[in-house]
Structures are given as C-alpha cells and as structure tokens.
Amino acid sequence: MLRQQVRDFLNAERAAGTILGRPDSWLTGWDPGFTRRLAERGWVGMALPREYGGSGRGNLERYVVIEELLAAGAPVSAHWVADRQAGPSILRHGTEEQRRRFLPRIAAGQCFFSIGMSEQHSGSDLASVRTRAERTGNGWRLTGTKMWTGGAHVNDYAIVLARTDESADRHAGLSQFIVDLRDPRIRVEPIRLLSGEHTFNYVHLEAVELADDALLGHAGDGWQQVTGELALERSGPERFLSTLPLLIALVAELRRGACSPEQHARVGRLTARLASIRQLSLSVAAALEAGRPADVQAALVKDLGTRFEGELINEAREILPVAARFDATRGSYPELLATAILHSPGYTLRGGTNEILRGIITRGLEASR
Amino acid sequence: MSTQSVFERAATVLAGPSAPDTPRAVWDALRTAGALPPLDADPADLVALVGEAGYHGTPAPLAETLLVARPLLAAAGLAAPHGPLAVAAGPLDVVFAHPDTGNRVGPPGAGGTDDAVRVSGVLSRVPWARAADAVVVLTEGPSCGPVLLLLEAGEFLRVEGTNLAGEPRDDLVLIDAAVPAERVRRIPAALAREAQWRSGLARAALIAGAARRCVDLTVARTGSRVQFGRPLSHFQAVKQEEARLIEEAALVDAAVGAAAAALPTPDTCELPAWIAAAQASASVAEITRIAHQLHGAIGFTELSRLHLATTRLWSWRDEDGTEQAWCRRIGRQVVEGDPLWPQVTGG
C-alpha cells in the first residue's frame, strides 16, 4: 500500500538523521538529496504521465504521498513548486518540446522551479503586475522586478507572469514565460524572514532576452493559466499541515505524563478540526482529478486550513505552556513552537490573502444560486 | 417518478411549504410516495436524508429511526417496527421477573426460561418519544453487561417536555414495568458503544442540514437586503463574515460525509463518527452567530425562518453528548492510542 511505503521510507530517513518533523517544511526544507531519493521511488511528478518521466499515478495518489511528507515535516521545498505547479502547468499549456525538455527532469528531482507571480505592488491583485515582456525579432525581452520569489537563489527556473499587451484589459494582456534563473541579466536579492531564514527573494529582470520557446501557453492567456494553477496552489494539504509537526510533538509530550480531561478535550478538538479540513481538501483534490472547476472550494480550504495552522499554535501554548525558544534543541517542543510562531504571519498571506479569498467564496456562492 | 431514488423522493416529500407537519403525517407521506427507506438502504443515503430532515426541521424522528434504532435492532437480532422509533439510554433498574428460579439472562431471549424482566427508573428528555411506535432503550442488564430493550407505548408514563426549538423531549417514567423476553436482548459492549457514536453521527447529520439552511437563508438575505444603496453582500465586512459561515458549514458537511462513507464498515466508523459529532457541535456557535448577525434584527423574530434552524442547532449540539464530551474521547484516543496522524488518515 502506497501510504505505508511512504511511511517506511520516512522511517528510514528518520533513522538516517535526515531533518524531519519541521513545521513549514514545504517552504524552508530545501534538500535536493532528499528530493532525489523521493524521485527514485517515483514520488516526484506523480501527476505527470509516464511518457514524460512521471509515474502517471494521478492527483489522488500524489495527495497521499505529499500529505505523508508534510505530516512528517520532511524537507520537500526544493521540488515543491516544480511538482505542484510548474510540472502540471507545462504539461497542460506547454509545447511538446517544452514538455520533453522539462518534465522528465522535474520527475527525476533534478530541475527546480520558482513562482514568479507576485510583485511589490501586485500581491493578491495579481492582474496589476508591471513586469513587461516586449516582442523582439526572435523572442521576448523581459523587464521588471518580481517579489516573494521563494527559492529563486537556489532553483533552476521561474515561471514568470508578465504583461505582454498594454492596450488589452488587465486580465487579457498577460502571459507566462519559463525563465532560466541562471541568466546573467537576472539579479536575485534576498528578503529574510523574521526567523532570519532566507527563502524569499526579489528577482530583478534587467532586459532579459528570451527565445520564442520561453513563452508558456499562448500570449494573452496568462490569466486563465494562472487561475488554473491557483486552485492547485490553494487547496493542497500544505494549506493545513504546516504546523502539524508541532501538534505531533505536543502529543508526544502529553504521552509522557498524566494528561488532564481538559488537555484531552483540547487535543480532541484540534484533531476533529484537522480531520474535517482534510476531508474538504480531499474533496477538492477529487474534483480537480475529475476535471471539475474548484476555485471556490480551493479558496475555502485555504482560508479554513491556514487559519487552523495559526490556531493550532495558540491552542498548543494553552495545552502545554512553555516559552518558545528558537535556540532550544532542534526538534524539541519549544524550538518547534518558536519556528511555528515566527512563520505564522505567512500562513494566511501566501497563496492569496484570506480576506481577498473570502470575496471569491461569497461571489462564487451567489453566482451558483 | 420511478427513475428517482428513494432518497430523491423522500427529499421532495420533506421540502416545501406543504411538507407534512406531524410525525405521523411525515411517515404516511413518505410511505405513500414510496420514499420510506428500506432496512437495507445505503447508509450514505440515510445520512443524506437525515441531512434533509435537518435542513427542513422535519417534525419526525427520522435521524433516530434510520441511523440509530433500526441498525441497533438489526444488530441485536430484533425485528424493527415499521413506524417512527425513539432511542434512549440511561441507567435503569432491571431485574428478573422471577428471581427465585435462578434463571440467567442468556441468548436469544433475555430471560432464558424466564418470561420477562422488570424495569424501573426514569429516561430523561427522550427525543420524539410521544410520536414513536416504540422506544429502543440501552441500559445495564440484571446480570451485568448491556442489554437492549424495546419498550412499547403504554409501558411507561410520559412527562412531556420540549427543547429550544419546541421539539418533543419527554421524560419516560418506568415503574416496575414488565418487558417480555422477546423484546429484550443482551448485547456486546461494542454495540453499546456503537449506539453512542450512531447517536452522535445522527445528530451531526441533522446539524449539517440545518447549517446548510442557515447558509441559504443568509445568502438570500444579504443578496436582497439593500442598505445605503447597495445589497449587504456588497459590503466587504459582510463578505468576510459570510465566507466564514459558508466555510464552517462546509466543514461540518465534510466531517459528516467522511463518517457516512465509513458507515458500511461500522468497525472503523467510531472515530470518524466522533469527529463528525465533535465538529458539528463545535461549529454551531460560529454558524448561528454569523447567520443571526447577518440577518439583522429580523432574524431573531418569528418573522424570519432563521430561528427554525438556529434554535434546533443550539439544542442539537448538546443532545447525545456535548462537544466537550466528544472532544475528550477523541483526545484520549489520540494521546493514549495509535499515533495521531495514522488515526486521522484511517490507518
């Protein structure tokens, strides 16, 4: 059974001392070696067909693998975007040449992607991007600055959203490009988190010359393509499991001593909510697998799930009060608590702020009536 | 009509302004429409039907009969009466009718060669007891271990009461009532536990339905009520709250759906049912708070239909166990049993 195979693999990794059990491991756990060991087992690019190097097992089996990895707090951030978004997006919108060029390397855990959507003035209002792509004789010239580009300093490529037609309406004039992050006209500048960690960057695109084959999909279709990706980005198990390692550590602490009825009740309440959100997330995965639109459902999971990630921290503090310490033993409850707290402002921001997503939810429900 | 499933026919009977308004009328209407679910109906359909009953506030013990009483009677080897059934649990004094003969309770009847047990005590706040053909009672038997008794009207005194929504919640007083052996069965402890989680799941399914009603009424309200020149639903502050209402109702629905999917294999349904019961009860506060807030003053008068859903939600969340009780069970199992994550994923 797939789930058990993944757990056996994770147990072996744990025994080997790979860093596991981390909160927010899909954002900060960058370990290409771990990614390659996963890929050897066919667990990267699972939603990609076999002819492109994937395992062709589909989104629901992929879901099992990634939720096991997240629950274990495994270091998966190297391939995260390639596996979740770039791969499926290239499969769907890319040319045959692009598919053959990128997908087998993604599935082998040897080609890592960043998302180049956000900018300083374009967060939730993605259609306001100012990065421009101008037509040249045999391609495009890309100019602008992307922001919040996770992993741009270590990854290979970014899929960049840029304006290709100034005259078209704000949704119609956008296009996506596959950009080589090693290009000398790209300058990556770190943006450090509260914890001091370096995952995010500015990406300055200074008249980057792109060949024609850098365009992903059709010019002007960027908005539709991005919207499709966002359902993948918002509904996955990473939207409610970022702080699960903290809950697991908390339960391990409670197992050691006497546990009061109040502590039982609070753990039970968290567990019930976790399990219920997981069911909703699974139903979105099933809808996407069946090709049904799930934008509204995905927004709903993202809001519920990311709020839960934060609520879990406050509950943990009440169930088992300790001072959060970033300098405590790595993997100990006070250290995990500190990491989860310092990352917590991000949960309800990344992937579209929750306040804006709630507008999508109510509009979607009214439209369906 | 013949192409419709039993569930679809039943949902039609329960809907609309001319829906039957007494327990007897509900049963008659379902039977006439060929919409009374058979004993071997798909459990997920039964849960969905109970959700419809919750949505419409149907005045009949559909949840109790379909999801609790009938499956328990079947598991205990007793035939289920055709009409509406009530379910009660509680400590009662149960003794053999003829203690001198040295008889022991034993299968298949409760009394061995004895012909009856004698029962005394009070079963409090039994849902729909006055409307039921019979009451399924779970209690401790005379020689220890749980027993299931099927009481018929007339074997108890009834003190009528109601919950916050005006639904019948009667006290049943038993004074040395003789229950014949053919309506008494010893049951395994596992079935007694199943009775509890079935009750929790039944209530959660009702809550999921009433929560959906709150969403529908609220969305209709905020879309049509104009203030300051535009519909309420156009105000950002309203959108924020409304989305949370929609989400919380979806969360309950997902939890109930997961338990319903597990129902065909009752051995693995206990935790999903506890979770559904806990989440349903826990979500009621947020759902009713937002629905009333967005309805404005009209919502807490009888001029609006909202109260039909919210008063039921406030009652149901505490019947068959409070969220605190369900959460404690879940938490104890998580802290003392298998690791948390395998439990959440079901293995």
Side-chain angles (χ1 to χ4, degrees):
Chain A
M1 178 188 162
L2 179 60
R3 192 181 291 282
Q4 195 51 50
Q5 289 168 358
V6 180
R7 285 181 185 165
D8 291 345
F9 166 79
L10 286 166
N11 284 336
E13 289 285 330
R14 223 173 257 116
T18 326
I19 301 164
L20 294 163
R22 306 300 301 158
D24 228 8
S25 65
W26 61 280
L27 184 71
T28 54
W30 201 84
D31 182 348
F34 182 88
T35 288
R36 268 192 286 280
R37 293 194 290 283
L38 269 183
E40 281 164 16
R41 285 159 179 79
W43 295 336
V44 180
M46 291 178 72
L48 300 175
R50 287 181 180 278
E51 56 174 315
Y52 300 116
S55 52
R57 301 178 76 161
N59 281 310
L60 292 177
E61 286 199 59
R62 174 180 173 272
Y63 192 100
V64 169
V65 171
I66 63 174
E67 73 169 351
E68 287 299 319
L69 293 168
L70 293 167
V76 290
S77 75
H79 66 276
W80 195 254
V81 168
D83 178 84
R84 179 183 71 186
Q85 270 160 282
S89 189
I90 291 170
L91 177 69
R92 199 160 156 207
H93 306 297
T95 62
E96 186 59 21
E97 192 275 331
Q98 285 169 334
R99 292 177 187 171
R100 301 223 168 267
R101 186 162 149 220
F102 294 107
L103 300 185
R105 287 158 67 207
I106 288 175
Q110 291 171 348
C111 179
F112 305 139
F113 275 77
S114 295
I115 301 172
M117 289 191 194
S118 295
E119 296 179 11
Q120 186 166 10
H121 301 289
S122 308
S124 294
D125 181 14
L126 209 49
S128 69
V129 295
R130 294 179 185 180
T131 294
R132 287 192 329 274
E134 296 159 302
R135 259 282 175 215
T136 59
N138 54 354
W140 302 84
R141 184 181 301 116
L142 205 53
T143 306
T145 297
K146 289 290 167 182
M147 200 177 175
W148 311 122
T149 317
H153 57 306
V154 282
N155 288 344
D156 305 295
Y157 296 92
I159 295 185
V160 172
L161 181 69
R163 183 153 296 284
T164 42
D165 185 349
E166 301 282 353
S167 60
D169 83 54
R170 59 203 298 272
H171 291 138
L174 299 168
S175 307
Q176 283 186 298
F177 296 90
I178 303 172
V179 178
D180 185 346
L181 286 166
R182 309 263 156 69
D183 190 296
R185 283 152 301 186
I186 289 179
R187 188 164 56 83
V188 176
E189 180 191 348
I191 305 170
R192 292 191 186 278
L193 296 179
L194 292 180
S195 58
E197 290 161 290
H198 173 200
T199 65
F200 289 118
N201 305 279
Y202 286 106
V203 176
H204 303 285
L205 304 151
E206 294 162 351
V208 178
E209 299 288 341
L210 300 174
D212 254 341
D213 64 1
L215 178 68
L216 176 63
H218 298 109
D221 283 358
W223 182 254
Q224 278 84 1
Q225 293 171 202
V226 161
T227 313
E229 279 177 54
L230 286 173
L232 294 174
E233 186 181 340
R234 285 172 180 161
S235 63
E238 69 270 34
R239 297 304 176 183
F240 60 93
L241 291 178
S242 295
T243 54
L244 184 70
L246 179 65
L247 179 59
I248 288 173
L250 167 74
V251 170
E253 294 286 315
L254 293 177
R255 274 173 196 263
R256 286 183 216 191
C259 192
S260 72
E262 169 73 10
Q263 286 171 316
H264 279 141
R266 283 174 173 256
V267 169
R269 196 179 170 108
L270 284 173
T271 306
R273 199 162 181 90
L274 166 71
S276 305
I277 293 171
R278 175 175 179 265
Q279 290 301 330
L280 266 183
S281 174
L282 273 169
S283 70
V284 178
L288 290 172
E289 178 73 5
R292 294 195 301 272
D295 309 9
V296 173
Q297 288 290 98
L300 198 144
V301 170
K302 202 260 177 184
D303 189 24
L304 276 170
T306 56
R307 280 195 283 129
F308 172 77
E309 291 176 329
E311 287 157 11
L312 192 157
I313 296 172
N314 282 327
E315 274 296 300
R317 288 176 52 249
E318 295 195 11
I319 295 168
L320 194 63
V322 300
R325 279 180 52 198
F326 210 48
D327 59 350
T329 308
R330 199 160 162 84
S332 66
Y333 177 65
E335 190 262 345
L336 295 179
L337 185 58
T339 305
I341 289 171
L342 290 178
H343 283 212
S344 61
Y347 307 150
T348 48
L349 298 177
R350 56 198 187 196
T353 58
N354 289 28
E355 287 73 12
I356 297 301
L357 294 182
R358 287 182 206 133
I360 295 178
I361 293 164
T362 49
R363 269 204 308 282
L365 199 74
E366 282 163 17
S368 71
R369 295 171 70 82
Chain B
M1 188 172 214
S2 58
T3 59
Q4 283 186 312
S5 68
V6 168
F7 165 73
E8 287 165 333
R9 286 199 291 271
T12 307
V13 169
L14 301 185
S18 59
D21 59 358
T22 67
R24 194 54 58 188
V26 169
W27 241 257
D28 290 346
L30 288 174
R31 187 174 291 128
T32 307
L36 206 53
L39 291 172
D40 60 352
D42 177 356
D45 277 351
L46 296 180
V47 172
L49 179 52
V50 169
E52 286 298 302
Y55 184 92
H56 296 291
T58 301
L62 279 167
E64 292 81 353
T65 304
L66 300 178
L67 290 178
V68 190
R70 279 180 173 187
L72 289 179
L73 288 170
L78 286 174
H82 291 296
L85 302 172
V87 181
L92 292 172
D93 290 327
V94 184
V95 297
F96 293 117
H98 307 96
D100 299 344
T101 60
N103 285 324
R104 290 287 176 269
V105 172
T113 58
D114 207 347
D115 60 351
V117 292
R118 305 198 76 91
V119 185
S120 299
V122 179
L123 297 164
S124 49
R125 302 192 66 74
V126 179
W128 300 100
R130 78 188 72 156
D133 284 4
V135 183
V136 173
V137 179
L138 292 118
T139 186
E140 285 290 307
S143 58
C144 297
V147 292
L148 184 151
L149 317 167
L150 191 60
L151 299 181
E152 292 178 351
E155 289 174 330
F156 46 80
L157 299 172
R158 214 177 57 230
V159 182
E160 295 194 350
T162 58
N163 67 9
L164 296 176
E167 293 182 312
R169 297 294 185 261
D170 302 339
D171 289 347
L172 310 186
V173 183
L174 292 134
I175 303 168
D176 201 29
V179 182
E182 56 269 24
R183 286 197 269 118
V184 182
R185 289 291 183 276
R186 292 181 68 176
I187 57 170
L191 192 61
R193 280 171 73 110
E194 183 172 332
Q196 289 183 350
W197 64 249
R198 277 189 175 279
S199 296
L201 174 57
R203 201 64 66 200
L206 286 170
I207 288 174
R212 188 157 48 83
R213 184 69 180 275
C214 285
V215 168
D216 284 355
L217 289 170
T218 303
V219 172
R221 173 80 184 159
T222 61
S224 61
R225 168 83 164 165
V226 173
Q227 295 279 271
F228 306 104
R230 52 189 177 142
L232 287 177
S233 63
H234 288 208
F235 289 81
Q236 273 301 330
V238 170
K239 279 190 217 281
Q240 297 294 314
E241 288 289 85
E242 194 165 329
R244 283 174 173 241
L245 167 64
I246 294 164
E247 289 170 2
E248 207 63 28
L251 196 63
V252 176
D253 207 48
V256 170
L263 256 182
T265 49
D267 289 350
T268 57
C269 196
E270 184 169 72
L271 185 63
W274 287 355
I275 286 171
Q279 191 56 59
S281 289
S283 293
V284 163
E286 184 81 338
I287 288 167
T288 52
R289 177 188 71 75
I290 300 174
H292 272 292
Q293 182 68 19
L294 296 186
H295 266 76
I298 201 87
F300 72 106
T301 69
E302 292 188 344
L303 297 172
S304 158
R305 287 169 300 165
L306 182 64
H307 67 95
L308 298 175
T310 55
T311 52
R312 282 178 171 76
L313 287 171
W314 286 322
S315 292
W316 292 342
R317 67 176 165 183
D318 291 331
E319 294 172 350
D320 300 307
T322 63
E323 71 194 75
Q324 192 79 357
W326 295 117
C327 288
R328 264 206 296 277
R329 278 179 210 193
I330 298 166
R332 198 176 306 119
Q333 179 144 327
V334 163
V335 173
E336 292 169 6
D338 291 338
L340 178 141
W341 181 246
Q343 293 216 42
V344 167
T345 58

